[in-house]
Amino acid sequence: KESPMDLSLVDLTKILLAMVAGGLIGMEREFRDKAAGFRTLILISVGACLFTMFSARFSPTGDPARIAANIVTGIGFLGAGVILKAGDRGLGLTTASTIWLTASLGMGIGAGFYGLVGAAALLTMIVLWFFPRIEHAIDNFREERTYEVVLPIDAEKVASLEQGFREAGLYVRSHRQVKALDAIKVTWQATGSIKAHEHLVHRLISDPAVKEFRY
């Protein structure tokens, strides 16, 4: 019978592999200066690995899936802590997903699925390192901005400027106006390519009727 004090080569190998898996993903997150970095993801991976190893030893004839399910729940709370709300967008979703995935790698190593974990870790590194370029290329074709423009109280000028959005190649999703004493603040939410947005910004800068604008 295995003693609780025993530390086998297999156990040590699993812990080291969990450190490597968490460290590789952690280096990418650290390089991009994200909330969950090098040490954090190592600890998450090793922790999940240990919990998985313990689950089999606490109850050799029981159901190890119960501890695995609790690991997933606990990691979910940890990942939620790095998600921030910014307007209508969520920040930190990729980092939270990385935390969740790193824990699964640690669990896989703890259960002895080395080949599967290795393949998953490799694919994860490809996604983290190379897919941002694809994401950036997609963003160049479609970006959403909110423009706040202060104009004289002139309905024709407002309509003309909104037509300028369409001429620049932008799709106006919403339009709101607020009247002040001697001016009107118009808010447009527009979607289009980076080039189209730059064209509109140039038009706003060169338009003498535009008192001020921001986006």
Side-chain angles (χ1 to χ4, degrees):
K1 183 179 179 180
E2 187 177 15
S3 168
M5 296 296 293
D6 291 341
L7 176 63
S8 68
L9 180 59
V10 173
D11 293 337
L12 187 58
T13 301
K14 288 180 178 181
I15 295 171
L16 292 175
L17 287 175
M19 289 183 64
V20 171
L24 286 174
I25 298 173
M27 281 192 293
E28 188 277 339
R29 295 286 86 188
E30 193 75 41
F31 178 78
R32 300 185 190 278
D33 198 24
K34 300 299 180 180
F38 185 65
R39 292 181 300 170
T40 302
L41 291 180
I42 287 177
L43 293 174
I44 289 171
S45 179
V46 173
C49 176
L50 286 172
F51 275 121
T52 304
M53 292 165 61
F54 292 153
S55 67
R57 299 185 184 185
F58 288 157
S59 180
T61 59
D63 183 12
R66 293 179 59 186
I67 290 185
N70 287 323
I71 295 173
V72 174
T73 302
I75 290 298
F77 281 107
L78 187 61
V82 301
I83 298 176
L84 302 174
K85 184 71 174 177
D88 58 348
R89 301 183 64 182
L91 302 178
L93 292 171
T94 301
T95 300
S97 301
T98 304
I99 289 173
W100 184 60
L101 186 137
T102 303
S104 73
L105 296 181
M107 292 171 64
I109 292 172
F113 300 117
Y114 307 122
L116 181 59
V117 169
L122 177 61
L123 291 174
T124 300
M125 294 303 297
I126 291 174
V127 169
L128 291 174
W129 279 107
F130 299 106
F131 278 36
R133 300 178 185 178
I134 300 175
E135 200 171 43
H136 180 69
I138 294 172
D139 288 341
N140 284 337
F141 286 100
R142 185 185 183 280
E143 179 172 284
E144 183 175 295
R145 292 183 184 178
T146 299
Y147 291 88
E148 292 183 356
V149 185
V150 178
L151 299 166
I153 300 177
D154 184 344
E156 291 185 0
K157 182 60 183 177
V158 173
S160 172
L161 193 54
E162 182 160 334
Q163 180 61 30
F165 276 79
R166 298 187 178 92
E167 291 174 356
L170 297 171
Y171 169 70
V172 177
R173 295 185 57 189
S174 65
H175 172 201
R176 183 168 60 90
Q177 300 182 24
V178 178
K179 180 183 176 183
L181 292 175
D182 59 347
I184 183 170
K185 184 172 76 171
V186 191
T187 303
W188 284 280
Q189 192 172 20
T191 303
S193 67
I194 296 292
K195 186 176 180 180
H197 283 292
E198 290 176 351
H199 179 75
L200 176 69
V201 169
H202 178 73
R203 176 169 180 164
L204 292 173
I205 291 174
S206 60
D207 191 333
V210 175
K211 294 184 176 182
E212 61 179 274
F213 77 93
R214 64 178 61 89
Y215 64 88

